[in-house]
Amino acid sequence: MPGHLTTHVLDTARGRPAAGLRIDLYRIEEDRRTHLRSLVTNHDGRTDGPILPAGEFRTGVYELVFHAGAYLEAAGAPAGPRFLDLVPVRFTISEAAHYHVPLLLAPYGYSTYRGS
């Protein structure tokens, strides 16, 4: 089974998918951080395709950076300094499998986990 990487971002404060949220994917090798791509979530809070498709899938350390501050501001979060801005999630892909890294997001907190 070839591996791939997906996400799903939910706006828990508004009780809906986080549409229009930018996500950057990086590969981490030693002290080098390489930008692989930028994507934007669709109306369902997902990207239109895998973040890391099967043809580009490799084991290693990766980082997803969720642009939470810009999304929350556009979604009508309270005015003033942002509590959250960029939300980095660094993780290791150790085998060819489906890695799903969801984000549950609110103006003052977030959580993530390895989903299925």
Side-chain angles (χ1 to χ4, degrees):
M1 171 173 95
H4 61 285
L5 171 65
T6 60
T7 192
H8 190 195
V9 185
L10 297 173
D11 182 333
T12 59
R14 297 181 346 155
R16 65 179 84 168
L21 187 143
R22 178 178 161 188
I23 303 167
D24 291 318
L25 173 65
Y26 296 88
R27 180 167 172 82
I28 312 299
E29 295 176 290
E30 296 178 15
D31 62 345
R32 194 174 63 236
R33 186 175 179 240
T34 304
H35 183 260
L36 299 179
R37 67 181 37 88
S38 297
L39 304 107
V40 176
T41 57
N42 61 24
H43 70 282
D44 194 35
R46 302 174 189 270
T47 57
D48 288 332
I51 297 170
L52 188 60
E56 300 173 36
F57 191 88
R58 294 183 2 210
T59 58
V61 178
Y62 290 86
E63 184 175 78
L64 289 171
V65 177
F66 297 88
H67 291 251
Y71 164 79
L72 291 166
E73 187 174 295
R82 295 175 182 165
F83 178 71
L84 292 176
D85 190 20
L86 300 177
V87 174
V89 178
R90 191 171 287 191
F91 55 95
T92 300
I93 290 177
S94 59
E95 62 181 321
H98 177 194
Y99 283 77
H100 184 67
V101 182
L103 183 73
L104 305 176
L105 178 64
Y108 299 103
Y110 65 91
S111 66
T112 188
Y113 54 95
R114 180 174 175 189
S116 58

